[in-house]
Amino acid sequence: MEEIRIQTNGKLGPIDSSRVPRFSGAATFARLPRLDQVDRADVALVGVPFDAGVSYRPGARFGSNAVREASRLLRPYNPAWDVSPFEELQVADAGDMAVNPFNINEAIETIQQNALDLTAGGTRLVTLGGDHTIALPLLRAASERAGEPVAMLHFDAHLDTWDTYFGAEYTHGTPFRRAVEEGILDTEAICHVGTRGPLYGKKDLEDDRRFGFGIVTSSDVYYQGVAEVVAKLRDRIGDRPLYISVDIDVLDPAHAPGTGTPEAGGMTSRELLEIIRGFRGMNLVGADVVEVAPAYDHAEITGVAASHVAFDLVTLLAANAADRQDAGGARTAGQNDGGASVGAGAHGVLQDGSRKLHGDPLAGNALGAPEGR
């Protein structure tokens, strides 16, 4: 079948869905070109079909392709940001990493090396899991590329800072404890968002606080609201290189039933997307969306939510590029290493009318770091 693609600003974009039906052809993320179809990519989406680290329901190994299938409906313009991300950046689908499903240690090494290879030319990764074990090697690679420990925002129902399961140090419940121990996280700028549900004991929270994590629970999001949460997170992270890890079970099972360890009382997909939109201008260096298990999904509810989260993470990278271009490429006061103005206006038109921005409704009104619990 002939691929009729949108091409703008020298960027090879998605297949034109006004001329080729969305439900036809190979499923790449948002119908974007494959990595081998472009000279280079500013952003690559890569799948990691691995779930040997799960402690309850298996099936996240099929998550990356489920997200790709659900992403067929994504359109190239994101009105929430006033950005067409595939025009601002060359974005491509890098396919899936081939990792050993029977050997976790080897799989982790493979993921880390593949991530380093993919980012060697300055490409930034948005990874589609796979279970949350994969976050550890991705963080190792992100920290190595940044040349320093990275800040992290971890969206999840669970802490994922437990020590071991059945004596195993590398599982989907332990990656961030290992990351702190390895010194690849900036412990002044790490936070869980959306946590909830029963724990093994109070010591879980005590250990987590000792590692340096702040916590914004799903109840905090409900009672404080998105705007206040965004302000706290921006204040905590500042302009540090930031990695965002999204376990789709951060959403309530009503919004993401297709996951391995669901917990009642979670965030809505709207809340999650609006929080991400509040990060415009923050120095995002990489991200993942994990734990989509399509065998437990209904009508692609989880896949659709995950595809939109990934789309907004790509848009965050593109919005920063657009803001740099609007600023003439010059670094000005208040800009972070990502080049975009920290605290850019949002949810409306700037006073000078130059650009409609959607992202940070609390510019200049930070309310302090989330309270560790």
Side-chain angles (χ1 to χ4, degrees), residues 169-250:
E169 295 181 339
Y170 300 106
T171 76
H172 74 159
T174 64
F176 304 120
R177 190 183 189 114
R178 301 286 91 83
V180 169
E181 291 170 347
E182 293 179 14
I184 57 178
L185 291 180
D186 182 341
T187 55
E188 296 296 317
I190 51 178
C191 190
H192 308 295
V193 185
T195 54
R196 61 192 187 277
L199 298 170
Y200 294 107
K202 190 173 182 178
K203 185 177 183 296
D204 294 341
L205 294 174
E206 294 169 350
D207 285 349
D208 202 72
R209 181 167 53 248
R210 178 167 52 85
F211 299 145
F213 281 93
I215 296 179
V216 177
T217 68
S218 61
S219 295
D220 291 333
V221 175
Y222 175 76
Y223 285 109
Q224 296 176 18
V226 166
E228 185 171 337
V229 167
V230 165
K232 290 181 175 181
L233 296 175
R234 292 188 71 104
D235 183 67
R236 189 177 188 90
I237 302 302
D239 63 357
R240 298 172 174 91
L242 170 66
Y243 189 93
I244 294 177
S245 186
V246 180
D247 185 327
I248 204 63
D249 73 21
V250 71

Side-chain angles (χ1 to χ4, degrees), residues 250-291:
V250 71
L251 299 180
D252 189 88
H255 297 266
T259 192
T261 48
E263 302 281 357
M267 292 165 53
T268 68
S269 53
R270 178 176 58 246
E271 287 171 333
L272 176 56
L273 290 170
E274 287 299 320
I275 290 174
I276 293 172
R277 290 164 186 168
F279 298 155
R280 187 168 190 153
M282 297 179 75
N283 186 16
L284 184 66
V285 297
D288 63 58
V289 182
V290 300
E291 298 284 355

Side-chain angles (χ1 to χ4, degrees), residues 124-149:
R124 297 196 175 183
L125 291 185
V126 175
T127 305
L128 308 175
D131 76 52
H132 224 151
T133 310
I134 73 172
L136 177 61
L138 294 171
L139 282 166
R140 289 175 177 171
S143 176
E144 183 171 335
R145 287 287 172 232
E148 61 183 303

Side-chain angles (χ1 to χ4, degrees), residues 21-366:
R22 299 178 186 281
F23 44 79
S24 65
T28 58
F29 184 83
R31 311 187 82 192
L32 287 162
R34 302 187 311 273
L35 188 59
D36 61 4
Q37 293 177 302
V38 298
D39 293 333
R40 67 172 303 276
D42 301 301
V43 179
L45 292 111
V46 62
V48 183
F50 175 86
D51 65 0
V54 300
S55 58
Y56 195 54
R57 295 173 175 171
R61 65 182 63 184
F62 303 110
S64 53
N65 281 333
V67 175
R68 288 187 178 103
E69 285 289 344
S71 75
R72 288 178 179 272
L73 196 57
L74 292 172
R75 298 172 181 86
Y77 172 66
N78 194 330
W81 301 72
D82 188 24
V83 170
S84 295
F86 312 138
E87 294 181 11
E88 302 292 343
L89 299 174
Q90 180 62 70
V91 187
D93 191 319
D96 288 341
M97 297 184 187
V99 297
N100 189 331
F102 303 110
N103 187 318
I104 290 180
N105 290 342
E106 180 182 324
I108 288 172
E109 292 175 2
T110 300
I111 294 165
Q112 181 179 350
Q113 187 58 56
N114 285 350
L116 288 169
D117 292 343
L118 285 166
T119 56
T123 300
R124 297 196 175 183
L125 291 185
V126 175
T127 305
L128 308 175
D131 76 52
H132 224 151
T133 310
I134 73 172
L136 177 61
L138 294 171
L139 282 166
R140 289 175 177 171
S143 176
E144 183 171 335
R145 287 287 172 232
E148 61 183 303
V150 295
M152 184 184 69
L153 292 175
H154 168 221
F155 292 82
D156 201 325
H158 311 95
L159 301 173
D160 288 0
T161 52
W162 287 280
D163 191 9
T164 63
Y165 278 95
F166 296 90
E169 295 181 339
Y170 300 106
T171 76
H172 74 159
T174 64
F176 304 120
R177 190 183 189 114
R178 301 286 91 83
V180 169
E181 291 170 347
E182 293 179 14
I184 57 178
L185 291 180
D186 182 341
T187 55
E188 296 296 317
I190 51 178
C191 190
H192 308 295
V193 185
T195 54
R196 61 192 187 277
L199 298 170
Y200 294 107
K202 190 173 182 178
K203 185 177 183 296
D204 294 341
L205 294 174
E206 294 169 350
D207 285 349
D208 202 72
R209 181 167 53 248
R210 178 167 52 85
F211 299 145
F213 281 93
I215 296 179
V216 177
T217 68
S218 61
S219 295
D220 291 333
V221 175
Y222 175 76
Y223 285 109
Q224 296 176 18
V226 166
E228 185 171 337
V229 167
V230 165
K232 290 181 175 181
L233 296 175
R234 292 188 71 104
D235 183 67
R236 189 177 188 90
I237 302 302
D239 63 357
R240 298 172 174 91
L242 170 66
Y243 189 93
I244 294 177
S245 186
V246 180
D247 185 327
I248 204 63
D249 73 21
V250 71
L251 299 180
D252 189 88
H255 297 266
T259 192
T261 48
E263 302 281 357
M267 292 165 53
T268 68
S269 53
R270 178 176 58 246
E271 287 171 333
L272 176 56
L273 290 170
E274 287 299 320
I275 290 174
I276 293 172
R277 290 164 186 168
F279 298 155
R280 187 168 190 153
M282 297 179 75
N283 186 16
L284 184 66
V285 297
D288 63 58
V289 182
V290 300
E291 298 284 355
V292 174
Y296 315 105
D297 206 4
H298 309 287
E300 292 187 301
I301 294 172
T302 312
V304 168
S307 71
H308 279 262
V309 170
F311 182 55
D312 269 45
L313 289 168
V314 172
T315 306
L316 171 54
L317 291 166
N320 289 348
D323 294 342
R324 285 197 300 271
Q325 186 174 8
D326 285 354
R331 184 181 177 92
T332 58
Q335 287 188 330
N336 66 13
D337 289 338
S341 175
V342 175
H347 297 273
V349 180
L350 293 179
Q351 289 184 354
D352 63 7
S354 60
R355 177 179 282 271
K356 183 179 180 182
L357 302 177
H358 191 301
D360 180 11
L362 291 165
N365 189 28

